[in-house]
Amino acid sequence: NAGVTQTPKFQVLKTGQSMTLQCAQDMNHNSMYWYRQDPGMGLRLIYYSASEGTTDKGEVPNGYNVSRLNKREFSLRLESAAPSQTSVYFCATFAGGGLSEKLFFGSGTQLSVL
Amino acid sequence: SQQGEEDPQALSIQEGENATMNCSYKTSINNLQWYRQNSGRGLVHLILIRSNEREKHSGRLRVTLDTSKKSSSLLITASRAADTASYFCAREGGSEKLVFGKGTKLTVNP
């Protein structure tokens, strides 16, 4: 039982390059999230998906796109990376509906944009 | 910003002492949660307290919530070196979107 799996774990990009961060879960949770974590800023929500086929913006969506093609996978795409997007990115799933209202996190992707 | 605020930003104590971290927020909540993050890892859920609860315990953890003051505190009793981590509060306002604070970095010295 892997839980929430993120790939890659580390990535270095040049300004203007594009890439997709992958997230997959085997917990059968409906909701999935992408957060970024910067020093001194805590976690900020980029996008979230309440269910397959639906996505919505969070606090800091500019410069990102997401895709929720099926229940298991939620990807985050940077079309033209900028140094301001250097951060640690976390994917999370939510077990809600009164069952267990908490987030389960992946181990993170450390992204550097030069 | 909708973020909550934890204080202190950093806390250093000796093993065996208690550690208290505080969290303030600005809008109404359904529940407030505390998470722990070890260096270089993802966050792990510790405890959830609902808006109609005032205090909750889980092992060495004690969480209080004062909705009139829009604040919560996390107490770790008899701390251990293994408790060294960053601790975050997160509030949930009904949309299944959790808003995190900036965290308190706790160091427990052996």
Side-chain angles (χ1 to χ4, degrees):
Chain A
N1 189 343
V4 182
T5 303
Q6 290 183 236
T7 56
K9 291 190 184 304
F10 301 95
Q11 184 71 49
V12 178
L13 293 177
K14 294 181 180 178
T15 297
Q17 287 185 318
S18 62
M19 79 159 295
T20 300
L21 281 65
Q22 306 286 354
C23 176
Q25 55 117 347
D26 61 5
M27 309 177 81
N28 202 36
H29 291 165
N30 284 323
S31 299
M32 297 185 73
Y33 305 77
W34 277 105
Y35 286 90
R36 61 178 286 174
Q37 184 176 30
D38 302 295
M41 296 294 293
L43 275 78
R44 292 182 292 171
L45 182 63
I46 305 171
Y47 271 94
Y48 73 103
S49 170
S51 62
E52 178 182 344
T54 68
T55 62
D56 208 345
K57 295 178 181 179
E59 185 183 356
V60 287
N62 291 343
Y64 305 95
N65 286 301
V66 291
S67 178
R68 181 86 183 272
L69 294 177
N70 55 60
K71 192 171 187 177
R72 287 191 66 247
E73 297 169 303
F74 188 36
S75 61
L76 179 71
R77 182 160 178 85
L78 288 69
E79 291 290 351
S80 178
S84 61
Q85 294 178 303
T86 293
S87 188
V88 181
Y89 291 85
F90 288 99
C91 176
T93 68
F94 185 78
L99 297 175
S100 178
E101 296 167 76
K102 62 184 179 182
L103 288 170
F104 294 84
F105 282 84
S107 57
T109 295
Q110 190 167 322
L111 175 67
S112 294
V113 183
L114 306 178
Chain B
S1 169
Q2 299 179 47
Q3 287 184 324
E5 297 291 339
E6 285 101 330
D7 81 273
Q9 290 186 335
L11 180 61
S12 181
I13 60 174
Q14 296 299 121
E15 216 167 19
E17 294 180 339
N18 296 340
T20 299
M21 289 158 268
N22 303 296
C23 169
S24 62
Y25 57 93
K26 297 179 180 178
T27 59
S28 62
I29 59 170
N30 278 354
N31 65 65
L32 188 139
Q33 306 182 25
W34 286 89
Y35 288 79
R36 166 192 168 131
Q37 183 181 34
N38 288 83
S39 181
R41 310 292 291 271
L43 280 72
V44 175
H45 181 266
L46 293 175
I47 194 166
L48 177 153
I49 187 165
R50 299 187 187 284
S51 59
N52 61 353
E53 297 176 312
R54 291 297 169 259
E55 187 171 312
K56 203 161 182 179
H57 296 255
S58 177
R60 294 185 295 113
L61 303 180
R62 173 182 166 235
V63 170
T64 61
L65 179 65
D66 187 335
T67 54
S68 66
K69 295 181 179 179
K70 290 187 169 57
S71 67
S72 174
S73 67
L74 172 67
L75 169 67
I76 304 174
T77 60
S79 62
R80 306 166 181 167
D83 294 328
T84 294
S86 292
Y87 293 82
F88 295 87
C89 69
R91 63 172 185 80
E92 196 268 313
S95 61
E96 294 192 351
K97 288 190 292 183
L98 270 72
V99 178
F100 285 82
K102 297 180 180 180
T104 293
K105 187 172 184 179
L106 173 66
T107 302
V108 181
N109 302 299

